[in-house]
Amino acid sequence: MAPPADETEERTLVDELRERLVDVKDEEDYAKKGNNLRRYLVAKNWNLKDAEAMMKATILWRKEKKPWKQNCSECLEQLGYHSWRQVGFDKLGRPVIYACFTQSPVRKYTVEDSLNHIMYLMENALVTMAPNVYQWVWVIDCTGMPTSAYTNPKAGYTAFQTLSNHYPERLGKMIIFNYDTIFEGIFKTLRFFLNSNTIDKVLLHRNPEKIDSLFREMFDEELVHWIHEESNLNKEEPLTDLQQCFWKMPNNPADHDPRGCRTYIHKYLDTYYKDATAVESLVLTIVPKTRKHKPHPNILDDLKERADEAAFEKAERERVSEMEEEKPDCVIL
């Protein structure tokens, strides 16, 4: 079907798709959120019948899977099981998710554990999107990629299929670098089984100058610097403790922080467990509280542990101070 000729025709198609879904039981109101209807129409080349069927399938899938409640049990059981994490935003305000295989102690992933972690990331990336933003960017550093990724490409294929079927038009770009010729051959085979629109968004580069040029085209200087430094540190052998434990804050604030670039950390990590001010508390009683963005599960746990320690130390200081104030004045006889 031909795309709409103008905005009026586009709105008409979106409204018609909305009408077709009126009787669908949608507890999450998924069809009413943001530009979800338009995304499904674009994914199905503006074919109303196909977009309706796809949207209904996603509503059912979300009802059964509840991806917004997803957590990664593997990362909770084994620290750093997955290294994929949100680290910042591109120039268009799209969340940037980074992964480097050498930072994970796991050499073999299953389809299920990979999907659970990816869904956790995607659902939490949605929370950080501005109203006019609906896509994300993936940056995949293949340094340390295990051979199991070559012999079992099913996990990657399934992830792509989930993106295509239930997160259509969410992928802005996927940049893959530091890969070897074997991976390149595997990916060429996968191209035949993936949606052509998805394939066009995947960029493979081995030339350092082209990679840097692409990064600078898409990201601001802060994120470009962070990715380059992160990638270089992840090539060191042996890997430093800080890079291996990428979910921890460096002891020296001047050091590179593997959790993400400074802007992302300041907005979403530094303030995560801080108490709301009186004004914020008042606002929350008037306006319904929205879902809060969760970073990588291990980063979240480390933040909570630090917050608990800080709260304990504060309580101890207050206790000592009260004891000092209660001491009776010395009487000289």
Side-chain angles (χ1 to χ4, degrees), residues 80-279:
Y81 190 99
H82 298 109
S83 68
W84 316 333
R85 59 200 185 271
Q86 185 170 340
V87 297
F89 300 86
D90 74 350
K91 289 180 179 179
L92 300 178
R94 298 179 295 187
V96 175
I97 295 170
Y98 172 87
C100 182
F101 288 93
T102 197
Q103 289 181 301
S104 172
V106 182
R107 298 293 88 189
K108 188 174 183 179
Y109 302 94
T110 67
V111 174
E112 183 178 3
D113 72 58
S114 297
L115 269 180
N116 287 343
H117 191 85
I118 289 173
M119 281 190 290
Y120 175 93
L121 286 177
M122 293 189 296
E123 291 293 325
N124 279 289
L126 294 175
V127 182
T128 68
M129 290 179 176
N132 61 328
V133 177
Y134 60 91
Q135 294 181 322
W136 41 57
V137 175
W138 288 71
V139 178
I140 312 297
D141 184 347
C142 293
T143 301
M145 177 178 278
T147 54
S148 59
Y150 303 139
T151 56
N152 180 28
K154 185 179 179 181
Y157 171 75
T158 304
F160 271 115
Q161 287 300 100
T162 300
L163 279 168
S164 299
N165 295 338
H166 302 302
Y167 296 89
E169 296 302 308
R170 287 292 193 191
L171 181 63
K173 293 291 181 185
M174 178 177 284
I175 305 170
I176 303 176
F177 66 111
N178 288 340
Y179 57 88
D180 57 26
T181 53
I182 300 177
F183 173 82
E184 192 170 15
I186 294 290
F187 186 79
K188 286 180 179 179
T189 302
L190 284 176
R191 291 175 66 95
F192 294 102
F193 302 97
L194 298 175
N195 182 284
S196 60
N197 189 36
T198 300
I199 288 297
D200 291 341
K201 297 176 181 179
V202 180
L203 307 175
L204 276 71
H205 286 295
R206 298 181 68 185
N207 185 297
E209 292 183 359
K210 288 185 177 180
I211 294 171
D212 181 68
S213 177
L214 179 62
F215 285 166
R216 294 185 183 281
E217 178 185 336
M218 295 183 61
F219 311 136
D220 60 22
E221 184 59 34
E222 179 190 41
L223 189 54
V224 171
H225 177 77
W226 185 91
I227 295 175
H228 279 316
E229 190 167 2
E230 180 73 9
S231 177
N232 290 333
L233 289 170
N234 287 335
K235 291 178 182 177
E236 294 183 0
E237 295 183 5
L239 203 63
T240 65
D241 290 342
L242 181 59
Q243 291 305 115
Q244 189 69 65
C245 301
F246 59 83
W247 57 90
K248 291 188 175 183
M249 178 177 67
N251 293 325
N252 184 352
D255 289 345
H256 171 77
D257 194 329
R259 299 177 301 168
C261 67
R262 187 62 240 168
T263 301
Y264 170 77
I265 290 172
H266 177 69
K267 184 172 183 178
Y268 293 102
L269 305 189
D270 289 348
T271 60
Y272 196 90
Y273 281 107
K274 287 187 177 179
D275 294 332
T277 64
V279 174

